[in-house]
Amino acid sequence: MVAFGYSLLCEQRGPRELVSDAVGAEDAGFDFAVISDHYFPWLDSQGHAPHAWPVLGAVAAATERIPLMTYVTCPIMRYHPVVVAQKAATVALLAGEGRFCLGLGAGENLNEHVVGAGWPPVNVRHEMLGEAVEIIGELFTGGYVNRSGKHYRVDSAKLWDCPEGGVPIAVAVSGEQSAAAFAPVADAMIAVEPLPDLVSGFDAAAGTTLPKIGQQPICWDPDRDAAVARGHDQFRWFAGGWKVNAELPGTAAFAAATQFVKPGDVAGAIPCGPDVAAHVEVVRPFVDAGFTHVALVQVGGDTQPDYLTFAERELLPALREEYGKPDVPAIRVR
C-alpha cells in the first residue's frame, strides 16, 4: 500500500497559486502534499521562489484533511534550528492533529549562500544537521533548551505553542553514513533515489520499520512534444545528480552545467506526455525498494490546474489500482 502525494514546488509557482493548488490536490484525492523550501528556483525559466512557511500556514488554513510536509527544510544556515522548531510547531497547530511532518535535509548552496556565511563541505553540513535535529527534537519535548555546541548556541529557548507529543521529523538521507546517523532520531526517511539498500539500512539503524518518502517528477501534457520541451526547459537541472546539485551556487551555474543536456535526455529520465501507464510505471522502483510514500512533481507551474483534473480522473485511480491505497498516510511520531 503506497500513499501518493502532490508536490507544491515553490520554484515554479507563486504563493497564491500554491495555496489554490493545495486545495485542488486535496479535492483531487491526493493522499498527502509536500512543499519545497527554496530561496531560488533551479533555473530562471521556473520563475518563482516564494517563502514556503507563510504558504504552509495558508495551506493549513485552506485545506481540511490532507497531510502536509516540508520536502525539505534546511535548518543549518538560512534558518537557525530554534526558528525551524517554532515554525514547525505553529504550522502543526494550524493544520490540526496529525497533519504536519517536518522534513529536514542538509540543503543546497543554491539557497543557503544568501546569508553570506560560505558553504561548508558535506561532512560539516551533516554534522550541523545532526546537531540541528537534536535541538529541534529537544524543543518539541516542551522544556527550556540551553546548548553550547560545535555549531550552534541556544540560550533558554522554549516553544510556548507546540502540539502535545511534538511534531514528527523526517530526515533526508543519501547513503549508508547519513542513514546510520539519522535513522535513530527520525520518525521517517526521505530520499530521492529508490535504493533498496538505503531502505533496509535505515530500518536496521532505526531498530524498527519507519515510513519512507520519495519524490518523482513527471511532465504530463496532452501533447507529448510540448511536455518534452517544457521538461527540458524547466527540469534539466537534475541531470548532474545531487552531489553536484548541492554545490552549485545559482541559476546561472545550473544553466551552464546542463547546457548540453538534450530534450531526449530529459524524456528518457522522466515520463513526458499523456500516457497514464508511463506515469504509473515510473514509481515502481520506489515501491519495489520499500517506499511507503511517493510525492509526484508535475513540471510546469501553469499546467497545475489541468494536471490536477487529469490526476483525479485518470492518474490516481490507475496508481491505486496498481499499488493500493494506504489507510493512514500521515507520518506519526514514533
Side-chain angles (χ1 to χ4, degrees):
M1 300 295 183
V2 181
F4 289 101
Y6 178 80
S7 295
L8 297 159
L9 203 66
C10 289
E11 303 91 288
Q12 64 178 16
R13 206 77 160 125
R16 286 181 174 271
E17 291 77 17
L18 287 165
V19 177
S20 177
D21 293 341
V23 173
E26 181 173 72
D27 291 343
F30 277 94
D31 298 314
F32 67 104
V34 304
I35 188 167
S36 60
D37 186 354
H38 275 229
Y39 202 92
F40 274 84
W42 299 101
L43 294 166
D44 287 351
S45 57
Q46 290 180 309
H48 293 278
H51 199 301
W53 286 91
V55 172
L56 264 175
V59 168
T63 56
E64 296 179 359
R65 63 150 189 92
I66 193 167
L68 306 171
M69 177 190 298
T70 50
Y71 201 102
V72 293
T73 283
C74 176
I76 69 171
M77 295 183 69
R78 189 165 40 115
Y79 307 133
H80 192 283
V82 299
V83 177
V84 173
Q86 184 186 37
K87 292 189 293 188
T90 300
V91 169
L93 290 170
L94 287 169
E97 184 177 357
R99 283 184 65 202
F100 180 68
C101 175
L102 176 61
L104 298 174
E108 301 94 14
N109 192 9
L110 176 71
N111 304 298
E112 305 307 310
H113 78 271
V114 295
V115 297
W119 186 231
V122 64
N123 62 313
V124 175
R125 302 198 301 263
H126 283 166
E127 282 182 2
M128 296 172 75
L129 180 59
E131 195 173 324
V133 171
E134 289 178 3
I135 293 167
I136 293 167
E138 192 173 352
L139 283 165
F140 285 161
T141 65
Y144 281 94
V145 175
N146 290 277
R147 174 183 286 258
S148 180
K150 183 175 181 180
H151 298 288
Y152 303 106
R153 294 184 63 89
V154 181
D155 182 9
S156 300
K158 174 182 169 65
L159 298 179
W160 291 90
D161 294 277
C162 184
E164 185 175 354
V167 179
I169 298 174
V171 182
V173 299
S174 57
E176 181 179 350
Q177 183 178 0
S178 56
F182 296 113
V185 296
D187 301 300
M189 180 187 100
I190 293 172
V192 295
E193 293 184 279
L195 304 175
D197 289 346
L198 188 62
V199 169
S200 60
F202 189 90
D203 283 343
T208 187
T209 300
L210 294 174
K212 318 292 184 309
I213 307 103
Q215 191 175 50
Q216 174 62 49
I218 66 174
C219 194
W220 170 84
D221 195 281
D223 183 333
R224 185 178 185 278
D225 290 341
V228 171
R230 186 172 69 249
H232 178 259
D233 178 53
Q234 297 190 20
F235 236 74
R236 68 185 186 276
W237 58 267
F238 71 85
W242 284 103
K243 287 187 177 181
V244 174
N245 293 346
E247 306 300 332
L248 298 180
T251 56
F254 279 93
T258 59
Q259 62 182 310
F260 299 114
V261 176
K262 297 178 173 60
D265 298 328
V266 175
I270 64 175
C272 296
D275 186 359
V276 178
H279 299 307
V280 170
E281 190 62 26
V282 75
V283 303
R284 190 173 301 279
F286 284 99
V287 178
D288 290 347
F291 281 73
T292 57
H293 296 63
V294 180
L296 299 174
V297 181
Q298 163 64 4
V299 178
D302 60 359
T303 70
Q304 300 303 311
D306 289 342
Y307 165 72
L308 286 168
T309 299
F310 161 73
E312 180 179 11
R313 294 176 180 176
E314 300 184 54
L315 181 57
L316 287 172
L319 287 167
R320 286 165 182 157
E321 181 178 356
E322 186 68 22
Y323 303 115
K325 179 177 172 59
D327 295 328
V328 183
I331 306 297
R332 305 296 188 190
V333 175
R334 61 160 151 166

